Amino acid sequence: NAGVTQTPKFRVLKTGQSMTLLCAQDMNHEYMYWYRQDPGMGLRLIHYSVGEGTTAKGEVPDGYNVSRLKKQNFLLGLESAAPSQTSVYFCASSRPTSYAYNEQFFGPGTRLTVL
Amino acid sequence: AQSVSQHNHHVILSEAASLELGCNYSYGGTVNLFWYVQYPGQHLQLLLKYFSGDPLVKGIKGFEAEFIKSKFSFNLRKPSVQWSDTAEYFCAVIPMDSNYQLIWGAGTKLIIKP
């Protein structure tokens, strides 16, 4: 099993450009998440999905959109990139059987720079 | 608002030293607790987790953590660190009413000097 994979690994954008980050998991997990990681701030949840066709906002959703058309894929879109979106983006997935059992599995990350 | 505090942002130790990284959370109800590790250039990996039962939890690579409910703490320990433990360590908490969302600490960067 590949686990959680992310495409691309690195990307440089100019302000105002758009892009989509792809996350794929082969563990048949119901839940998927997009985080951003910035120095000294830990991980902050952007959006998440509790199942195919559903999405919800996390802590820092502004400037991002997501889609979960297939259970195994979770897309993160930036419609008009801004320098403040320079960050490392992590995707994660989980299959919580209750609130108690929600171990998240992470992808390798995408390092995005917006000039 | 619920939060997780990691007391030290940077820790530098020599090999063979003992390690304790602090983690406190602000939630009065039932929680589940995690420590994740991120080695340089790698993604986050689960180090250990506490769901219920024995409050002393053992994880991979000789790490352990103790859940002290009365202190709202879940400190990470290792008796003797190695150079390969150089990494960033994150504490995370799931409160019972959080809809499965983890609340993350800001992380502690650990550097082990050989």
Side-chain angles (χ1 to χ4, degrees), chain A:
Chain A
N1 287 351
V4 180
T5 59
Q6 291 182 232
T7 308
K9 289 187 170 55
F10 302 93
R11 186 72 186 268
V12 178
L13 291 178
K14 295 181 180 178
T15 297
Q17 287 185 316
S18 63
M19 78 163 293
T20 300
L21 282 68
L22 170 64
C23 175
Q25 53 94 4
D26 61 2
M27 296 175 283
N28 200 33
H29 284 171
E30 292 295 331
Y31 281 47
M32 296 187 74
Y33 313 81
W34 275 108
Y35 291 94
R36 60 178 290 172
Q37 183 185 27
D38 301 292
M41 302 189 74
L43 275 77
R44 292 183 292 168
L45 183 64
I46 304 171
H47 287 279
Y48 65 100
S49 167
V50 301
E52 182 179 323
T54 72
T55 63
K57 294 180 180 180
E59 182 185 355
V60 289
D62 294 341
Y64 304 95
N65 57 75
V66 288
S67 65
R68 182 102 180 265
L69 299 179
K70 294 182 178 180
K71 186 177 183 179
Q72 63 267 33
N73 295 338
F74 195 29
L75 304 178
L76 177 71
L78 285 73
E79 291 183 347
S80 180
S84 61
Q85 294 177 304
T86 293
S87 187
V88 180
Y89 291 86
F90 286 100
C91 177
S93 71
S94 69
R95 183 171 57 200
T97 54
S98 73
Y99 90 93
Y101 296 97
N102 188 19
E103 177 184 340
Q104 295 186 9
F105 295 82
F106 284 82
T110 295
R111 186 173 293 275
L112 175 66
T113 301
V114 182
L115 302 175

Side-chain angles (χ1 to χ4, degrees), chain A residues 31 37 99-100 102-104 107, chain B residues 30 32 36 43 49 51 100:
Chain A
Y31 281 47
Q37 183 185 27
Y99 90 93
N102 188 19
E103 177 184 340
Q104 295 186 9
Chain B
T30 303
N32 292 310
Y36 279 83
H43 60 282
K49 59 192 176 190
F51 290 155
Y100 305 141

Side-chain angles (χ1 to χ4, degrees), chain B residues 65-106:
Chain B
E66 185 175 13
F67 172 46
I68 304 179
K69 190 173 182 180
S70 61
K71 294 185 178 181
F72 302 94
S73 71
F74 189 55
N75 292 354
L76 181 71
R77 301 195 292 248
K78 186 171 184 178
S80 178
V81 294
Q82 300 171 314
W83 176 78
S84 58
D85 293 325
T86 293
E88 190 161 14
Y89 294 81
F90 293 91
C91 180
V93 171
I94 298 181
M96 186 174 181
D97 60 359
S98 70
N99 191 27
Y100 305 141
Q101 299 315 310
L102 274 84
I103 301 171
W104 293 84

